[in-house]
Amino acid sequence: MGGARRRLVELLREKGIRDMAVLRAFDLTPRHHFVPTGVRHRAYEDAPLQIGSGQTISQPSIHARYLEILALQGSERVLEIGTGSGYQTVLLSHLVAQIFTIERIPALFTSAREAINTAGATNVSMLLGDGTVGWREYAPYDAILVSAGGPSIPPALVEQLAEGGRMLVPVGSKDEQTLKLVTKRGGDVETKDIAPVRFV
């Protein structure tokens, strides 16, 4: 699988990903551990794959773009909303100091926990629950990554952003969302549209 993983890293480079730390995270993360056995042969394609419970694992180039936009330095505490397969969680584990991740579907929570442990990530804390309320106990966060679309930006998440913190969140209807970058500066909240996206 190592060769396939390196080909994926090359592909991400061809697609314009420049952040060396992000490319290294992809090289270190075994995506085949995060997809069901039936689609394991497709694990290193740049394509979304079904992971059960009506959810998908995003295509790697989307994850890479997200992580590059956040411009992580390595010392951050990050909140991830929607653990899903746990793949993005482990990518993050190579890029930041600490990750707090929330998943609302019990079956996904259980399989993600196993996959995250198998991948050897030790800086991850997991919670089964509603991500829109965040995880107040460990706030504030330097970055928040929301992996599920919603009609608006959850106020609780804005509240849990640290000063200078950044949040990526898809906002819109069921079929069409806009990826927004929310930055907190001096009590003000700036919102910038990044790109049209489609999330579950």
Side-chain angles (χ1 to χ4, degrees):
M1 290 287 186
R5 202 149 66 198
R6 271 184 286 284
R7 280 196 295 279
L8 174 63
V9 172
E10 280 312 309
L11 179 71
L12 295 176
R13 205 175 262 140
E14 282 163 27
K15 290 197 169 190
I17 300 300
R18 294 281 166 265
D19 188 324
M20 291 313 285
V22 170
L23 292 168
R24 179 177 165 271
F26 277 88
D27 200 30
L28 292 171
T29 306
R31 192 175 188 240
H32 59 279
H33 286 180
F34 300 91
V35 298
T37 26
V39 290
R40 207 155 270 182
H41 61 289
R42 297 187 54 205
Y44 294 99
E45 290 174 18
D46 190 26
L49 299 169
Q50 295 292 331
I51 54 169
S53 306
Q55 305 295 306
T56 55
I57 179 173
S58 296
Q59 65 191 80
S61 56
I62 298 274
H63 286 305
R65 185 157 155 65
Y66 258 48
L67 296 171
E68 193 165 63
I69 289 167
L70 286 174
L72 299 160
Q73 304 300 312
S75 57
E76 293 90 352
R77 291 156 59 86
V78 175
L79 177 64
E80 179 188 41
I81 308 297
T83 316
S85 67
Y87 179 59
Q88 179 172 264
T89 318
V90 173
L91 288 170
L92 277 165
S93 77
H94 296 295
L95 291 164
V96 301
Q98 238 183 334
I99 300 134
F100 300 87
T101 183
I102 306 174
E103 176 53 60
R104 65 183 174 82
I105 301 169
L108 284 183
F109 179 84
T110 305
S111 59
R113 187 169 53 196
E114 277 169 32
I116 289 166
N117 287 339
T118 303
T122 54
N123 54 350
V124 176
S125 303
M126 296 183 71
L127 178 69
L128 179 65
D130 176 7
T132 58
V133 297
W135 196 342
R136 204 172 294 280
E137 207 179 323
Y138 298 104
Y141 301 98
D142 303 304
I144 298 178
L145 216 53
V146 183
S147 303
S152 59
I153 298 171
L157 297 184
V158 176
E159 220 172 281
Q160 290 171 40
L161 261 186
E163 171 61 29
R166 305 168 303 292
M167 169 164 60
L168 273 177
V169 55
V171 177
S173 65
K174 204 170 153 63
D175 301 315
E176 209 172 67
Q177 301 113 26
T178 302
L179 182 63
K180 293 181 182 286
L181 177 65
V182 179
T183 310
K184 204 182 220 179
R185 278 203 191 95
D188 286 338
V189 176
E190 295 166 19
T191 306
K192 184 175 146 193
D193 290 358
I194 301 290
V197 286
R198 280 190 70 171
F199 277 85
V200 287

